[in-house]
Amino acid sequence: MPHFTTSDGTEIYYVDQGAGQPIVFSHGWPLNSDAWAIELKVFADAGFRAIAHDRRGHGRSSRSYAGNDMTTYARDLSELVNHLDLREVVVVGHSTGGGEVVRYAAQFADGRVSKVVTVGAVPPIMLKSDSNPEGTPIEDLDGIRAAVLKDRSQFWFDLAEPFYGANRPGAQVSEGAKQDFWRQGMLVDLPAAYDCVKAYSETDQTEDLKAIDVPIFIAQGDDDQIVPIAAAAEKSIKLVTQGTLKVYPGAPHGIYGAYQDQLDKDILDFIKS
């Protein structure tokens, strides 16, 4: 299994498939690169070099007590891109991974990024405040931390329901998909899972979005129960200079089913445009 070691000694696992223009995928919390398994094949089959990594503390990467913050995540991504000497990179990030690729493109890309894609992403900031009344209350985020600390195994089972919209009438989400969410969640180191809540919810990325100087495709489902769309995609599109927003009616936070099929097609179209 391929790994590389970051400048602070953290081992990062990654998958590298296909050949052509590179596309690097960054996963959401509490998942890992397995969340992009379908995309890795779809995009490699379409003639791209498809790469996905396990964030530090997640999946098969090092258990990392330190560095569970958005800047370190973006720096890790930068070091992976530099390690592989990738150019004209398209970065794609879901949820927390969306924050990671936005910070990377804004602060660490050094001319290597050609396009950015975010899906259900946390920027500009998820936390509710007087200036961001559409956000998530700190009490809800504290509840997530408490649940992770108390019984993370049960919490991952419970979280899979709203993550994929399986709690909606008529939803068709397989038991296998929900159990795979649980499986990936159980691979997260507890400190990384706990600290990442602060990273994804309290990092203000307003200036990152303003600094992105390449085209960005911002995608989100309008039935996202995890990241409020009014605090996320609908605000992000107003901050970028070369943005395209697409809202998917009825789509949840998790990338699954018909939503996944259409999203992958739209990302391909965006990259080729």
Side-chain angles (χ1 to χ4, degrees), residues 112-140:
R112 291 178 180 263
V113 170
S114 64
K115 290 184 178 180
V116 178
V117 177
T118 65
V119 185
V122 294
I125 185 167
M126 189 172 165
L127 180 65
K128 182 178 181 178
S129 65
D130 290 344
S131 60
N132 188 40
E134 303 87 355
T136 301
I138 188 65
E139 295 80 8
D140 292 355

Tab-separated table of all heavy atoms in Angstrom, residues 112-140:
chain	number	residue	atom	x	y	z
A	112	ARG	N	-0.049	24.925	-8.974
A	112	ARG	CA	-0.246	23.542	-9.440
A	112	ARG	C	-1.709	23.197	-9.708
A	112	ARG	O	-1.991	22.174	-10.328
A	112	ARG	CB	0.315	22.551	-8.417
A	112	ARG	CG	1.841	22.569	-8.307
A	112	ARG	CD	2.324	21.605	-7.234
A	112	ARG	NE	3.775	21.616	-7.110
A	112	ARG	CZ	4.603	20.741	-7.691
A	112	ARG	NH1	4.103	19.784	-8.470
A	112	ARG	NH2	5.898	20.815	-7.506
A	113	VAL	N	-2.647	24.025	-9.248
A	113	VAL	CA	-4.075	23.696	-9.358
A	113	VAL	C	-4.697	24.388	-10.566
A	113	VAL	O	-4.494	25.578	-10.783
A	113	VAL	CB	-4.819	24.109	-8.073
A	113	VAL	CG1	-6.334	24.006	-8.260
A	113	VAL	CG2	-4.374	23.245	-6.905
A	114	SER	N	-5.468	23.617	-11.337
A	114	SER	CA	-6.166	24.197	-12.488
A	114	SER	C	-7.637	24.435	-12.209
A	114	SER	O	-8.228	25.385	-12.734
A	114	SER	CB	-6.019	23.281	-13.712
A	114	SER	OG	-6.645	22.031	-13.480
A	115	LYS	N	-8.264	23.580	-11.384
A	115	LYS	CA	-9.680	23.742	-11.058
A	115	LYS	C	-9.942	23.147	-9.673
A	115	LYS	O	-9.203	22.278	-9.198
A	115	LYS	CB	-10.575	23.060	-12.095
A	115	LYS	CG	-10.578	23.760	-13.451
A	115	LYS	CD	-11.557	23.121	-14.426
A	115	LYS	CE	-11.556	23.901	-15.747
A	115	LYS	NZ	-12.506	23.322	-16.735
A	116	VAL	N	-11.024	23.627	-9.067
A	116	VAL	CA	-11.435	23.175	-7.742
A	116	VAL	C	-12.893	22.747	-7.797
A	116	VAL	O	-13.715	23.392	-8.456
A	116	VAL	CB	-11.271	24.304	-6.699
A	116	VAL	CG1	-11.739	23.852	-5.319
A	116	VAL	CG2	-9.820	24.794	-6.642
A	117	VAL	N	-13.213	21.653	-7.105
A	117	VAL	CA	-14.597	21.192	-6.975
A	117	VAL	C	-14.883	20.968	-5.493
A	117	VAL	O	-14.101	20.311	-4.798
A	117	VAL	CB	-14.843	19.879	-7.739
A	117	VAL	CG1	-16.278	19.395	-7.529
A	117	VAL	CG2	-14.536	20.043	-9.223
A	118	THR	N	-15.978	21.520	-4.993
A	118	THR	CA	-16.410	21.220	-3.630
A	118	THR	C	-17.812	20.631	-3.663
A	118	THR	O	-18.645	21.025	-4.481
A	118	THR	CB	-16.392	22.464	-2.724
A	118	THR	OG1	-17.361	23.413	-3.189
A	118	THR	CG2	-15.015	23.104	-2.697
A	119	VAL	N	-18.057	19.690	-2.764
A	119	VAL	CA	-19.349	18.999	-2.699
A	119	VAL	C	-19.810	18.978	-1.242
A	119	VAL	O	-19.121	18.420	-0.380
A	119	VAL	CB	-19.237	17.556	-3.223
A	119	VAL	CG1	-20.629	16.903	-3.258
A	119	VAL	CG2	-18.579	17.508	-4.592
A	120	GLY	N	-20.930	19.613	-0.953
A	120	GLY	CA	-21.423	19.640	0.426
A	120	GLY	C	-20.352	20.141	1.379
A	120	GLY	O	-20.235	19.647	2.502
A	121	ALA	N	-19.591	21.121	0.946
A	121	ALA	CA	-18.383	21.531	1.667
A	121	ALA	C	-18.695	22.491	2.811
A	121	ALA	O	-19.688	23.215	2.789
A	121	ALA	CB	-17.399	22.164	0.697
A	122	VAL	N	-17.795	22.516	3.790
A	122	VAL	CA	-18.021	23.305	4.999
A	122	VAL	C	-17.744	24.804	4.849
A	122	VAL	O	-18.286	25.593	5.633
A	122	VAL	CB	-17.208	22.735	6.185
A	122	VAL	CG1	-17.721	21.351	6.547
A	122	VAL	CG2	-15.713	22.693	5.882
A	123	PRO	N	-16.904	25.278	3.910
A	123	PRO	CA	-16.691	26.724	3.802
A	123	PRO	C	-17.971	27.465	3.407
A	123	PRO	O	-18.846	26.881	2.772
A	123	PRO	CB	-15.630	26.850	2.691
A	123	PRO	CG	-14.916	25.556	2.700
A	123	PRO	CD	-16.000	24.544	2.988
A	124	PRO	N	-18.079	28.758	3.759
A	124	PRO	CA	-17.031	29.541	4.408
A	124	PRO	C	-16.863	29.268	5.891
A	124	PRO	O	-15.759	29.272	6.413
A	124	PRO	CB	-17.443	30.984	4.155
A	124	PRO	CG	-18.909	30.919	3.892
A	124	PRO	CD	-19.168	29.604	3.237
A	125	ILE	N	-17.920	29.062	6.650
A	125	ILE	CA	-17.815	28.633	8.048
A	125	ILE	C	-19.148	28.029	8.451
A	125	ILE	O	-20.216	28.547	8.136
A	125	ILE	CB	-17.414	29.797	8.986
A	125	ILE	CG1	-17.193	29.277	10.409
A	125	ILE	CG2	-18.422	30.933	8.955
A	125	ILE	CD1	-16.498	30.266	11.330
A	126	MET	N	-19.059	26.913	9.171
A	126	MET	CA	-20.258	26.143	9.509
A	126	MET	C	-20.901	26.616	10.809
A	126	MET	O	-22.117	26.516	10.985
A	126	MET	CB	-19.873	24.664	9.615
A	126	MET	CG	-21.012	23.697	9.745
A	126	MET	SD	-20.381	22.010	9.622
A	126	MET	CE	-21.788	21.094	10.250
A	127	LEU	N	-20.102	27.139	11.727
A	127	LEU	CA	-20.592	27.503	13.060
A	127	LEU	C	-21.575	28.671	13.013
A	127	LEU	O	-21.325	29.687	12.369
A	127	LEU	CB	-19.407	27.870	13.954
A	127	LEU	CG	-19.732	28.280	15.392
A	127	LEU	CD1	-20.338	27.113	16.166
A	127	LEU	CD2	-18.492	28.809	16.089
A	128	LYS	N	-22.674	28.527	13.717
A	128	LYS	CA	-23.661	29.595	13.830
A	128	LYS	C	-23.109	30.727	14.692
A	128	LYS	O	-22.479	30.509	15.732
A	128	LYS	CB	-24.954	29.062	14.445
A	128	LYS	CG	-26.069	30.100	14.553
A	128	LYS	CD	-27.337	29.490	15.122
A	128	LYS	CE	-28.459	30.523	15.204
A	128	LYS	NZ	-29.715	29.935	15.716
A	129	SER	N	-23.362	31.950	14.242
A	129	SER	CA	-22.967	33.138	14.998
A	129	SER	C	-23.896	34.272	14.598
A	129	SER	O	-24.769	34.103	13.734
A	129	SER	CB	-21.504	33.510	14.688
A	129	SER	OG	-21.372	33.885	13.329
A	130	ASP	N	-23.702	35.441	15.224
A	130	ASP	CA	-24.526	36.591	14.861
A	130	ASP	C	-24.361	36.952	13.390
A	130	ASP	O	-25.315	37.387	12.733
A	130	ASP	CB	-24.158	37.798	15.726
A	130	ASP	CG	-24.589	37.621	17.178
A	130	ASP	OD1	-25.422	36.736	17.439
A	130	ASP	OD2	-24.074	38.351	18.039
A	131	SER	N	-23.149	36.759	12.872
A	131	SER	CA	-22.888	37.075	11.459
A	131	SER	C	-23.172	35.898	10.535
A	131	SER	O	-23.135	36.039	9.312
A	131	SER	CB	-21.430	37.517	11.285
A	131	SER	OG	-20.553	36.485	11.699
A	132	ASN	N	-23.450	34.737	11.119
A	132	ASN	CA	-23.742	33.530	10.333
A	132	ASN	C	-24.921	32.788	10.962
A	132	ASN	O	-24.787	31.661	11.440
A	132	ASN	CB	-22.499	32.623	10.276
A	132	ASN	CG	-22.666	31.445	9.322
A	132	ASN	OD1	-23.226	31.585	8.231
A	132	ASN	ND2	-22.171	30.288	9.723
A	133	PRO	N	-26.096	33.406	10.978
A	133	PRO	CA	-27.245	32.814	11.673
A	133	PRO	C	-27.745	31.522	11.037
A	133	PRO	O	-28.486	30.771	11.678
A	133	PRO	CB	-28.309	33.923	11.592
A	133	PRO	CG	-27.924	34.738	10.395
A	133	PRO	CD	-26.427	34.720	10.374
A	134	GLU	N	-27.329	31.253	9.793
A	134	GLU	CA	-27.777	30.035	9.108
A	134	GLU	C	-26.953	28.808	9.511
A	134	GLU	O	-27.249	27.691	9.109
A	134	GLU	CB	-27.661	30.212	7.590
A	134	GLU	CG	-28.437	31.396	7.044
A	134	GLU	CD	-27.644	32.691	7.067
A	134	GLU	OE1	-26.501	32.692	7.593
A	134	GLU	OE2	-28.159	33.714	6.576
A	135	GLY	N	-25.908	29.017	10.286
A	135	GLY	CA	-24.980	27.942	10.620
A	135	GLY	C	-25.494	26.974	11.677
A	135	GLY	O	-26.651	27.032	12.114
A	136	THR	N	-24.602	26.089	12.098
A	136	THR	CA	-24.918	25.048	13.081
A	136	THR	C	-24.589	25.543	14.487
A	136	THR	O	-23.465	25.995	14.743
A	136	THR	CB	-24.102	23.786	12.790
A	136	THR	OG1	-24.403	23.339	11.463
A	136	THR	CG2	-24.422	22.683	13.794
A	137	PRO	N	-25.528	25.471	15.424
A	137	PRO	CA	-25.273	25.956	16.785
A	137	PRO	C	-24.140	25.194	17.467
A	137	PRO	O	-23.983	23.979	17.258
A	137	PRO	CB	-26.607	25.719	17.504
A	137	PRO	CG	-27.630	25.653	16.412
A	137	PRO	CD	-26.921	25.029	15.240
A	138	ILE	N	-23.375	25.890	18.313
A	138	ILE	CA	-22.269	25.259	19.022
A	138	ILE	C	-22.765	24.111	19.899
A	138	ILE	O	-22.054	23.113	20.091
A	138	ILE	CB	-21.488	26.302	19.860
A	138	ILE	CG1	-20.210	25.694	20.437
A	138	ILE	CG2	-22.372	26.877	20.956
A	138	ILE	CD1	-19.180	25.285	19.409
A	139	GLU	N	-24.008	24.221	20.406
A	139	GLU	CA	-24.556	23.146	21.234
A	139	GLU	C	-24.670	21.846	20.455
A	139	GLU	O	-24.439	20.754	21.009
A	139	GLU	CB	-25.926	23.545	21.792
A	139	GLU	CG	-25.915	24.713	22.758
A	139	GLU	CD	-25.838	26.072	22.084
A	139	GLU	OE1	-25.946	26.145	20.834
A	139	GLU	OE2	-25.673	27.078	22.814
A	140	ASP	N	-25.037	21.937	19.170
A	140	ASP	CA	-25.131	20.738	18.339
A	140	ASP	C	-23.755	20.136	18.103
A	140	ASP	O	-23.581	18.906	18.105
A	140	ASP	CB	-25.784	21.071	17.000
A	140	ASP	CG	-27.251	21.454	17.131
A	140	ASP	OD1	-27.784	21.375	18.267
A	140	ASP	OD2	-27.860	21.823	16.112
